[in-house]
Amino acid sequence: MRISRRWLGNYIDLPDDNELLIRTLTFSGIEVEAVEELPALPETVLTARILTAEKIPGTDHLMACTVEYGGSNPVQVVCGAPNCRPGMLSVLALPGSVLPQLTIKSAKLKGVESHGMLCSERELGISDTHAGIIELDVNTPLGLPVNDLYELPDTLLDLEITPNRSDLLGYLGIARDLSASLGTPVKFPELLPIAGADCPAIDLKLILEDSENCPRYTARLLTDIRVQDSPQWLKTALIKTGLRPINNVVDITNFVMLETGHPLHAFDYDQLAPVEAGDPQPAIVVRKARPGEEFVALDGKSYVLDDQALVIADGQKASALAGVMGGKDSAISDSTRTLVLESASFNPCSIRATSYKYKISTDSSYRFERHLSPALPVDASVRATELLVRVSGGKVCHALKDAYPEPERALYLALRPRRFTELIGYQLEESAIKSYLEALGCRFVQYGAWQEEPLTDPALIHCHHAEEQKAGKTEFTEIDCDHALYFQIPPHRVDLTREADLLEELARLAGYDRVPQKTAISLIMDRHAHRVQRAIVDHFALAGFYEMTNYSFCDPAQLADLAFPSEELDRILLRVINPQSSNQSAMRISLLPSLLANLSYNLNHGERNLKLMELARVYHRDGDSYTEPLFLTALCTGQAAPEHWQQKAREIDVYYLKGIIESLLGSLNLPVTATGSMPRPWLVDAENLAFYSGDALCASLGRMRSETLERFGIDIHKLKQDIWVVEIPVQNIVEATRGISTEFQPLPRHPSVVRDISFVIGLNIPYGDIQAAIKAVDPSLIQAVSIFDEYHGKQVPAGSRSLSLHLFLQDSEKTLTDERVDQTVASVLKMLSAAWQIKMR
């Protein structure tokens, strides 16, 4: 909801500081989402009249205009607006004027000099309208500064109103709430009821058929009205709140809606039909729509209604979709002379259902959906009637027609001061309680015994202090446990229905910052674990893996298909006592069966390049105890990356997955201290690998056996590509990285040296052991070791392989000499020869 500070200031004295106003609104529960400043415009932007407007030859739309603005001589201005014409009053910005988006200068357009600009609302920064230049009332004085015309400067506030606070959907409601926070009175507009004249030729039948969905409906007849442009003050108010001025009648209904928060609607009386042919009186009938009834709305769209939609009809057809939108046939037009002013109350559930079903959302439905009290329509009707008579010159016919079968009774709620202390945490004096609630419109009735149920009759209040009250005593120092203050709830506060609502209002107005903090806020989540989990998932996602979500249940037969030993399953498997089906009869001890099902499904649908992952818990039983470790399991097959014309596609292999795991662990600053095999019944023996950091297993990978895949419906021979699996025990990584912190290291000041060595070594010696042994020769000097070639062939003895390594050497204190580098490389080779009897190549 957008409001204007200037307009709001008509109802309450506001603080000069905008920040204080915004802070007061926010801390009173009205969130300020955005602030837009409308600055004052230069004094050289003023009202002017177009004397002549002649088309410039050779252009489609430009006109040379002679404009007078009250100065010594008229000026010539080139204008291209479609509504530009002689005699029109508009806004002129003279050369030198600085507007929000441009600075005005004298210029020559198509050979014609232009000394200023005729402005649209968007160029002045007051709205987005740019269809033409501003058109003012012919009686507007010339030379009037535009700041007076549009009440500038101003501040526009976008407010977020919670759904339960329908009382804040109008300026008066916001002013009333601010009054309680600021301690300043509200300046309510004076309601001036106008007695209806006797109009024998004009009358109306009002029939309320559905009082459940329309508790109250009022109608006012006005005749001899003149439909015309609205006065400037009315246009300005609507423009600033984002509404488009239409005519004086529609604009008044919108103005009153924005002021009071209660929507109204006006019908053209002459377009309403009677119930029976020949009846001189047209009718307003509030009823449910007939099945299949057609309705043409104000937006020109036609809707076919069902029997659940509430309509406002005349004697024959639907004239409005109740509380949502009016009809085109009965809309106010320039020829309207007599109108029916509707002010009603509707069931919020009915309005919401209609708005949702027919996909129509309006300012009216937005308010009615949030529940407006049946006690409010009369005041809104009186206010609109007084403004319509003032602006349109009409007269009121007859008294207000008011269909209100079951008048809403006043509500009385009890509030215990001790309950405020118990729930909020500090004591609030009774005088402060009364002051805050009375500022909101609640009326203190009397003291009484606590009663939980809301009352509709003050006579039902039981008073333990009846004698003291009769004697005139109003303050009690000895308060028993049932002591309560009774307040009459104002009709506009439909959200106040119980004691807790009153306590919330008191806490809000007294200030949430006064609530004491009894205990320090404790962390309810392991932030480090959360960051590591997200880092792992994000790393695989960036590598092209798609995240799967599967049930936590599994089929024990699938675990047997993975060749889990039966005795191990009996020991760790957690079975469901009353499973929905046999394939969901146990909790998962591995994510692999579910992912294999996902993989099989995609392969059967023609996908060949797949990367799937799942992050979830598995469930292990160990005697009477249970654990739920978190795992990330990934399956992949096919190409590592999409085909590209510049490079050949690479198949997923052990080196590709090893690179993903090493880069992940590197990004977490987790060193890999050892690698080894990871024997699993479903993995090929010679093609699996495990990564360790200290004693903690950090990750494992391997190629799946073809016989295992066949048991899951995947024919590896037909597929002709390998399927690889990665398993990461996330909890191990979380704990291993918990004490690791990222430290800054300056860039090296001295150059590094790279030396290559090649040698033959046994196949049974892990590369990780070789790498660690080389670094251990001189850890301060040997910064890194990387392999760039591995060779098996005739020149290499059986059971051996040839390795070629890069050694990266760097001293942080000084530049390395050839002698020191040679000495270090010699020490490395000597160590390798002694440890594994290498042969240099």
Side-chain angles (χ1 to χ4, degrees):
M1 176 180 172
R2 169 172 281 204
I3 67 169
S4 158
R5 177 192 166 95
R6 282 224 183 190
W7 189 355
L8 182 61
N10 293 332
Y11 309 113
I12 185 172
D13 293 330
L14 300 174
D16 295 333
D17 184 9
N18 271 342
E19 290 299 322
L20 177 58
L21 173 61
I22 293 169
R23 187 164 58 252
T24 303
L25 285 168
T26 301
F27 278 93
S28 65
I30 306 173
E31 182 182 356
V32 180
E33 288 192 320
V35 179
E36 180 182 351
E37 297 290 347
L38 297 182
L41 295 170
E43 294 296 321
T44 50
V45 182
L46 29 77
T47 59
R49 177 183 287 109
I50 301 173
L51 299 177
T52 63
E54 299 178 358
K55 187 175 180 180
I56 299 176
T59 67
D60 295 332
H61 62 287
L62 294 181
M63 304 183 75
C65 305
T66 304
V67 182
E68 64 170 342
Y69 60 94
S72 56
N73 296 307
V75 295
Q76 180 172 273
V77 176
V78 174
C79 180
N83 62 334
C84 178
R85 63 185 185 276
M88 174 182 174
L89 262 72
S90 187
V91 173
L92 172 67
L94 293 171
S97 301
V98 180
L99 303 183
Q101 297 181 353
L102 72 162
T103 299
I104 306 302
K105 299 178 181 179
S106 295
K108 183 175 288 188
L109 302 174
K110 296 295 182 180
V112 179
E113 291 186 353
S114 179
H115 302 286
M117 183 175 74
L118 294 169
C119 302
S120 67
E121 290 176 359
R122 188 170 75 179
E123 287 155 348
L124 295 184
I126 58 175
S127 82
D128 291 331
T129 302
H130 194 57
I133 58 176
I134 296 171
E135 185 167 358
L136 302 175
D137 185 86
V138 294
N139 296 318
T140 305
L142 293 181
L144 183 69
V146 76
N147 292 331
D148 298 339
L149 205 62
Y150 287 101
E151 299 180 3
L152 299 176
D154 199 358
T155 302
L156 304 182
L157 306 175
D158 283 331
L159 308 181
E160 176 65 28
I161 307 299
T162 55
N164 65 317
R165 293 299 304 274
S166 60
D167 60 300
L168 296 177
L169 295 175
Y171 277 87
L172 288 176
I174 296 170
R176 188 187 295 113
D177 212 72
L178 276 174
S179 171
S181 299
L182 297 174
T184 54
V186 180
K187 297 177 283 187
F188 290 99
E190 185 180 2
L191 295 179
L192 302 172
I194 300 176
D198 186 21
C199 304
I202 301 174
D203 207 349
L204 180 76
K205 286 184 178 180
L206 177 56
I207 304 171
L208 178 57
E209 293 184 358
D210 190 351
S211 59
E212 180 182 353
N213 289 311
C214 180
R216 188 175 195 178
Y217 192 95
T218 71
R220 178 85 70 178
L221 289 170
L222 291 93
T223 190
D224 296 335
I225 64 168
R226 298 186 304 275
V227 179
Q228 57 192 9
D229 278 351
S230 297
Q232 188 59 43
W233 65 268
L234 182 53
K235 288 183 178 180
T236 297
L238 297 182
I239 288 170
K240 286 184 178 180
T241 50
L243 295 183
R244 177 175 58 88
I246 298 174
N247 58 52
N248 53 353
V249 174
V250 175
D251 292 350
I252 286 295
T253 61
N254 285 333
F255 177 88
V256 174
M257 175 189 71
L258 293 171
E259 182 181 69
T260 65
H262 196 93
L264 303 101
H265 185 67
F267 299 95
D268 189 328
Y269 175 86
D270 295 322
Q271 303 303 318
L272 300 177
V275 175
E276 298 178 358
D279 192 336
Q281 297 180 5
I284 288 287
V285 183
V286 184
R287 60 172 172 82
K288 288 287 183 68
R290 304 183 183 98
E293 184 172 6
E294 292 190 9
F295 168 69
V296 181
L298 282 171
D299 59 4
K301 296 180 181 179
S302 180
Y303 300 90
V304 178
L305 308 179
D306 61 17
D307 59 359
Q308 296 302 308
L310 186 69
V311 298
I312 312 300
D314 59 15
Q316 304 298 323
K317 62 185 182 303
S319 296
L321 206 51
V324 179
M325 184 177 284
K328 186 176 182 180
D329 295 339
S330 60
I332 301 298
S333 65
D334 292 344
S335 61
T336 300
R337 292 295 174 266
T338 303
L339 63 82
V340 179
L341 179 65
E342 168 196 285
S343 183
S345 175
F346 299 107
N347 184 319
C349 296
S350 172
I351 302 302
R352 174 59 182 159
T354 301
S355 174
Y356 180 80
K357 181 175 180 63
Y358 299 104
K359 303 296 185 290
I360 308 174
S361 181
T362 61
D363 288 321
S364 175
S365 67
Y366 177 81
R367 286 165 170 78
F368 281 123
E369 287 171 10
R370 283 153 177 77
H371 190 186
L372 299 177
S373 169
L376 304 179
V378 172
D379 285 350
S381 180
V382 170
R383 175 65 167 158
T385 300
E386 184 264 327
L387 291 174
L388 282 169
V389 171
R390 187 201 311 175
V391 171
S392 68
K395 70 175 182 178
V396 181
C397 293
H398 309 297
L400 176 72
K401 297 183 182 296
D402 188 358
Y404 197 9
E406 298 180 12
E408 191 177 67
R409 303 186 67 180
L411 187 68
Y412 299 87
L413 293 180
L415 184 148
R416 295 165 291 177
R418 69 170 181 85
R419 188 61 175 160
F420 179 89
T421 305
E422 291 173 357
L423 292 182
I424 308 304
Y426 65 93
Q427 186 174 359
L428 195 63
E429 297 296 328
E430 287 188 8
S431 58
I433 292 175
K434 292 180 184 178
S435 176
Y436 283 131
L437 293 181
E438 287 175 347
L440 291 175
C442 300
R443 183 175 68 86
F444 173 70
V445 179
Q446 67 180 65
Y447 293 96
W450 158 249
Q451 297 178 68
E452 183 176 0
E453 294 298 322
L455 303 177
T456 56
D457 186 352
L460 299 176
I461 300 174
H462 302 299
C463 183
H464 289 313
H465 305 285
E467 297 301 323
E468 290 91 334
Q469 284 189 318
K470 288 180 180 179
K473 186 176 181 180
T474 58
E475 296 288 343
F476 299 90
T477 56
E478 296 180 4
I479 300 174
D480 61 29
C481 62
D482 290 331
H483 172 70
L485 287 71
Y486 278 83
F487 290 89
Q488 180 181 346
I489 306 303
H492 60 269
R493 289 305 302 269
V494 295
D495 59 310
L496 301 181
T497 59
R498 54 182 181 159
E499 181 190 35
D501 297 328
L502 295 180
L503 296 177
E504 181 183 4
E505 291 298 289
L506 291 173
R508 177 174 68 88
L509 295 174
Y512 291 125
D513 55 337
R514 293 182 60 182
V515 178
Q517 183 175 319
K518 295 182 179 180
T519 57
I521 299 174
S522 59
L523 295 177
I524 60 173
M525 66 176 291
D526 187 340
R527 296 185 181 276
H528 170 73
H530 177 74
R531 283 194 295 267
V532 172
Q533 292 170 24
R534 292 314 312 164
I536 294 173
V537 172
D538 291 345
H539 187 83
F540 275 82
L542 289 172
F545 285 78
Y546 287 88
E547 188 170 5
M548 303 287 107
T549 300
N550 294 295
Y551 289 115
S552 296
F553 307 105
C554 71
D555 186 351
Q558 290 183 328
L559 298 175
D561 290 339
L562 284 178
F564 270 105
S566 58
E567 61 276 9
E568 183 178 358
L569 289 180
D570 293 338
R571 181 175 58 83
I572 68 173
L573 194 61
L574 186 62
R575 298 184 183 272
V576 179
I577 295 176
N578 187 21
Q580 293 184 347
S581 62
S582 60
N583 62 0
Q584 292 186 344
S585 61
M587 305 300 291
R588 290 193 293 184
I589 62 172
S590 171
L591 306 182
L592 193 52
S594 302
L595 280 175
L596 283 170
N598 301 144
L599 185 75
S600 176
Y601 177 87
N602 283 275
L603 289 172
N604 291 337
H605 284 74
E607 296 293 332
R608 287 295 177 267
N609 302 314
L610 293 167
K611 296 178 182 178
L612 309 179
M613 66 169 170
E614 182 175 9
L615 175 73
R617 295 191 179 277
V618 296
Y619 304 87
H620 292 165
R621 179 169 62 90
D622 186 8
D624 294 332
S625 62
Y626 305 93
T627 58
E628 299 179 13
L630 187 65
F631 272 81
L632 183 138
T633 302
L635 275 179
C636 52
T637 184
Q639 296 177 356
E643 290 186 1
H644 193 274
W645 64 272
Q646 284 186 323
Q647 58 187 11
K648 184 180 179 181
R650 174 187 177 184
E651 292 291 324
I652 294 174
D653 56 16
V654 65
Y655 300 109
Y656 173 74
L657 294 177
K658 180 174 177 287
I660 290 178
I661 292 174
E662 288 179 341
S663 62
L664 168 64
L665 300 180
S667 67
L668 297 172
N669 293 329
L670 188 61
V672 177
T673 58
T675 57
S677 62
M678 177 54 64
R680 289 285 189 267
W682 54 85
L683 296 180
V684 177
D685 290 336
E687 297 188 58
N688 59 75
L689 183 63
F691 298 81
Y692 295 88
S693 182
D695 295 331
L697 173 65
C698 296
S700 64
L701 64 90
R703 182 167 67 87
M704 294 204 63
R705 293 177 181 270
S706 59
E707 55 269 25
T708 302
L709 294 170
E710 288 173 0
R711 290 194 287 269
F712 284 87
I714 302 174
D715 188 348
I716 197 69
H717 303 292
K718 182 178 179 181
L719 185 63
K720 296 181 180 179
Q721 56 191 47
D722 295 330
I723 294 177
W724 295 84
V725 59
V726 175
E727 284 190 316
I728 296 181
V730 176
Q731 196 60 39
N732 290 359
I733 295 182
V734 169
E735 296 305 324
T737 57
R738 194 174 293 279
I740 297 176
S741 59
T742 302
E743 296 182 0
F744 168 77
Q745 289 186 348
L747 291 174
R749 294 184 299 166
H750 304 286
S752 62
V753 175
V754 180
R755 289 290 174 91
D756 298 338
I757 58 175
S758 296
F759 52 87
V760 177
I761 194 169
L763 280 173
N764 62 329
I765 302 169
Y767 170 72
D769 293 350
I770 300 172
Q771 186 183 49
I774 293 175
K775 286 186 177 180
V777 171
D778 192 341
S780 64
L781 190 62
I782 303 175
Q783 302 297 321
V785 179
S786 67
I787 183 171
F788 67 89
D789 185 51
E790 181 184 26
Y791 176 70
H792 302 266
K794 295 180 180 179
Q795 294 82 4
V796 178
S800 300
R801 57 177 170 169
S802 171
L803 294 180
S804 297
L805 306 180
H806 289 309
L807 304 185
F808 295 88
L809 298 91
Q810 189 172 45
D811 193 324
S812 59
E813 301 296 332
K814 57 186 176 180
T815 301
L816 291 173
T817 62
D818 289 340
E819 291 79 9
R820 189 179 178 192
V821 171
D822 293 340
Q823 182 183 1
T824 303
V825 172
S827 299
V828 169
L829 296 177
K830 182 178 180 181
M831 180 275 301
L832 293 173
S833 298
W836 294 297
Q837 295 78 46
I838 67 165
K839 294 182 178 181
M840 297 299 297
R841 295 194 65 196

